[in-house]
């Protein structure tokens, strides 16, 4: 491989929540980066995302918190209900901030804060390697193009090419599937500002209002053999969900029937098990991973996206600190600084990610069991080792 000029100092692979947040965090620290996104435009698959106190802290550091708060009402607690409308229990959110954001609002707010030309669409990375002569990373594109950068940050999601190049195992497949969507009520939805959960047999339905007229909902159940034969076309998805929800109250089935077709999605849940994270290596030369590429987790705590926002803040802070310390143009010194910055990022994130992934894993196990004894045992373990039910949301990733 010939030595050629570096195209970019910092290249971020993937323009999802974590990639855009990382570019914005770097920008706010005065560091230029480029986001290489395989799609032709910004994508916001998955309708909406629950964001807790920790995520709002990160969004405030990125300067987009106040604007996004205008778009999502405060959720004051969660209500567990039976299918016949009885409340089983209510958990108030107390002092925690919980709002549900439309994914498109979040993605657009992050992208809007970036300098022009930061995001490059249609750049699909197919492999990553380290230049033997310079020790800097090289990204190979689907069209045969090559991009050289001094630092590569893999924010390319659950099927990350960057993580694969480190030898990270592919994420595990959970037996749970989730369908999600948005329903607009032009005259107002009438739901209270709570996260409602209704379980009937193997079906779990979650409902969270975004504002007075828009509601986000999801439907979870174990994957069935027939799922591989069912089309993911929105009309077909909708019909199948309505059929499955025959026993649910009319207002809930109506909500799904009247959902916005282009908001519907189907996801097979994937996760990195806590023990896989414990043993994983997250840096090679000046490359690392963040967001789902590093720590994809089940949706049971609604923390995957917020954890990616925290990664962005810590990553930018650690890199900026090292760059400020070395203004020389000596590539070797700079490489050592970058490696040190990335190691500090990984050190800071590893404990948090392990705690979050373990809690999520245990909560997932608890939701999936029909045995009360097993459920109580898991609950006791979570309480003893991970503290109060909101400890995951109370984390503070600090200033940029
Ligand atoms: C069912 C479900 C519900 C969830 N609910 C919540 C919730 O309520 N709250 C919460 O905080 N989190 C939630 N999450 C998690 C959250 O959605 C993810 O953690 C978050 O979207 C991950 O963001 P990311 O940027 O790391 O990855 P992604 O959003 O997957 O973005 C990756 C980007 O990289 C691009 N890309 C991929 N490969 C390449 C390549 N080779 N070259 C160039 N570009 C590439 C993709 O096109 C994409 O734009 C949920 C997840 C699921 C599955």
């Amino acid at each position: 491989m010939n030595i050629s000029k570096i195209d970019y100092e910092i290249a971020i692979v993937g323009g999802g929540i974590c990639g855009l947040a990382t570019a914005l965090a770097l920008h706010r620290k005065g560091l230029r980066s480029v986001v290489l996104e395989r799609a032709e435009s910004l994508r916001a698959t998955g309708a909406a995302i629950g964001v807790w106190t920790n995520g709002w802290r990160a969004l405030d550091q990125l300067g987009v918190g106040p604007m996004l708060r205008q778009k999502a009402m405060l959720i004051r607690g969660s209500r567990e209900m039976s299918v016949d409308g009885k409340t089983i229990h209510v958990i108030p959110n107390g002092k925690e901030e919980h709002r549900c954001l439309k994914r498109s609002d979040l993605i657009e707010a992050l992208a809007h804060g970036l300098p022009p030309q930061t995001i490059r669409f249609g750049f699909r990375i197919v492999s990553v390697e380290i230049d033997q002569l310079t020790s800097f990373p090289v990204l190979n594109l689907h069209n045969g193009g090559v991009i050289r950068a001094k630092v590569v940050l893999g924010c390319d999601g659950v099927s990350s090419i960057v993580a694969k190049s480190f030898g990270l195992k592919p994420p595990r497949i959970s037996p749970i599937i989730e369908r999600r969507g948005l329903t607009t009520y032009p005259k107002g939805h009438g739901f209270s500002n709570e996260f409602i959960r209704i379980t009937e047999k193997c079906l779990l339905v979650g409902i969270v209002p975004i504002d007075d007229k828009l509601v986000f909902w999801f439907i979870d159940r174990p994957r069935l053999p027939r799922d591989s034969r069912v089309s993911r076309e929105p009309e077909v998805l909708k019909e199948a969900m309505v059929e499955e929800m025959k026993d649910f109250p009319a207002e809930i089935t109506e909500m799904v029937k009247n959902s916005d077709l282009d908001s519907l999605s189907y996801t097979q849940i994937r996760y990195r098990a806590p023990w896989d994270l414990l043993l994983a290596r997250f840096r090679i030369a000046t490359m690392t991973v963040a967001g789902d590429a590093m720590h994809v987790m089940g949706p049971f705590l609604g923390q995957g996206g917020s954890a990616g926002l925290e990664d962005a803040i810590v990553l930018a802070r650690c890199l900026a600190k090292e760059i400020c310390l070395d203004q020389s143009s000596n590539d070797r010194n700079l490489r050592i600084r970058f490696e040190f910055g990335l190691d500090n990022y990984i050190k800071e994130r590893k404990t948090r990610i392990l705690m979050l992934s373990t809690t999520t894993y245990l909560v997932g196990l608890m939701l999936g069991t029909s045995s009360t004894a097993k459920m109580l045992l898991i609950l006791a373990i979570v309480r003893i080792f991970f503290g109060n039910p909101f400890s995951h949301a109370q984390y503070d990733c600090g200033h940029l």
Side-chain angles (χ1 to χ4, degrees):
M1 188 179 292
N2 296 323
I3 304 176
S4 70
K5 75 173 184 43
I6 290 285
D7 299 295
Y8 302 107
E9 290 274 309
I10 303 177
I12 297 169
V13 184
I17 294 172
C18 182
L20 295 176
T22 304
L24 184 54
L26 289 167
H27 172 58
R28 287 174 74 86
K29 294 297 282 181
L31 300 178
R32 183 112 177 82
S33 66
V34 66
V35 177
L36 306 168
E37 167 56 48
R38 67 180 169 189
E40 294 298 336
S41 60
L42 290 176
R43 293 179 333 141
T45 315
I49 184 168
V51 180
W52 286 87
T53 316
N54 56 312
W56 287 104
R57 284 193 180 117
L59 291 173
D60 283 336
Q61 289 301 313
L62 294 171
V64 294
M67 187 272 274
L68 286 172
R69 280 187 183 89
Q70 310 291 321
K71 295 181 180 277
M73 58 165 57
L74 186 67
I75 303 299
R76 62 161 201 260
S78 53
R79 182 179 297 269
E80 191 92 39
M81 294 177 74
S82 63
V83 79
D84 55 6
K86 290 196 187 91
T87 294
I88 299 166
H89 63 254
V90 177
I91 308 176
N93 283 345
K95 288 186 187 153
E96 301 314 319
E97 181 173 7
H98 180 206
R99 296 170 197 267
C100 186
L101 272 173
K102 248 176 99 174
R103 282 188 189 243
S104 55
D105 286 342
L106 174 56
I107 290 281
E108 279 160 25
L110 296 170
H112 186 73
L114 294 173
Q117 303 299 316
T118 301
I119 313 172
R120 304 296 168 93
F121 293 108
F123 279 70
R124 182 158 66 86
I125 308 304
V126 289
S127 65
V128 185
E129 54 197 311
I130 301 296
D131 187 320
Q132 296 301 318
L133 292 174
T134 63
S135 299
F136 285 125
V138 180
L139 299 167
N140 299 309
L141 293 165
H142 68 290
N143 57 9
V146 167
I147 289 178
R148 292 162 198 277
K150 285 193 176 152
V151 176
V152 166
L153 308 175
C155 302
D156 44 345
V158 64
S159 310
S160 169
I161 293 287
V162 181
K164 198 169 150 198
S165 76
F166 287 17
L168 287 185
K169 283 191 201 155
R172 291 164 192 263
I173 299 178
S174 147
I176 307 291
I177 60 151
E178 183 166 302
R179 282 80 45 94
R180 290 175 276 176
L182 298 170
T183 305
T184 309
Y185 295 79
K187 294 183 183 155
H189 49 67
F191 288 104
S192 58
N193 53 342
E194 290 176 313
F195 171 21
I196 298 167
R197 291 158 53 104
I198 308 172
T199 314
E200 168 66 1
K201 298 185 184 125
C202 290
L203 222 52
L204 163 70
V205 176
I207 303 162
V208 202
I210 293 177
D211 60 27
D212 292 338
K213 293 187 175 149
L214 188 65
V215 169
F216 166 64
W217 51 263
F218 62 83
I219 303 172
D220 288 5
R221 65 157 165 75
R223 190 173 196 277
L224 301 170
R226 68 164 191 256
D227 288 326
S228 54
R229 298 190 300 272
V230 172
S231 151
R232 305 282 186 266
E233 283 302 309
E235 284 285 7
V236 182
L237 262 183
K238 189 189 271 195
E239 227 172 89
M241 287 185 280
V242 172
E243 175 66 24
E244 284 173 31
M245 293 173 72
K246 280 196 301 263
D247 297 335
F248 279 72
E251 61 168 333
I252 308 293
T253 36
E254 282 302 307
M255 177 184 72
V256 177
K257 260 189 204 159
N258 297 328
S259 55
D260 312 333
L261 272 185
D262 59 1
S263 73
L264 299 184
S265 67
Y266 171 108
T267 315
Q268 171 83 57
I269 306 297
R270 285 164 200 263
Y271 65 100
R272 279 200 202 285
W275 52 94
D276 289 339
L277 288 170
L278 188 68
L279 302 173
R281 187 162 65 134
F282 291 120
R283 176 180 75 76
I284 287 197
T286 51
M287 293 200 292
T288 192
V289 277
D292 276 12
M294 187 191 219
H295 48 65
V296 61
M297 57 188 83
F300 316 114
L301 293 179
Q303 278 288 357
S306 292
L309 294 171
E310 292 172 8
D311 293 343
I313 303 293
V314 179
L315 193 41
R317 182 169 66 221
C318 291
L319 281 178
K321 186 174 167 206
E322 292 309 313
I323 293 172
C324 288
L325 288 174
D326 190 338
Q327 297 291 339
S328 73
S329 55
N330 177 326
D331 270 358
R332 188 176 169 278
N333 288 353
L334 200 58
R335 182 167 49 76
I336 293 168
R337 285 281 173 210
F338 280 139
E339 288 176 358
F340 194 65
L342 296 181
D343 282 342
N344 283 339
Y345 152 73
I346 294 162
K347 208 161 120 194
E348 189 170 337
R349 292 306 289 153
K350 202 149 186 181
T351 317
R352 163 69 172 157
I353 292 310
L354 271 173
M355 296 284 276
L356 208 46
S357 299
T358 309
T359 321
T360 302
Y361 180 77
L362 290 171
V363 171
L365 279 186
M366 196 165 76
L367 294 175
T369 180
S370 51
S371 148
T372 312
K374 214 168 161 185
M375 204 183 288
L376 290 174
L377 176 70
I378 300 172
L379 192 65
I381 294 173
V382 172
R383 279 294 175 90
I384 292 166
F385 291 101
F386 302 98
N388 73 62
F390 297 115
S391 56
H392 61 87
Q394 287 158 351
Y395 183 84
D396 187 351
C397 63
H399 291 279
L400 240 185

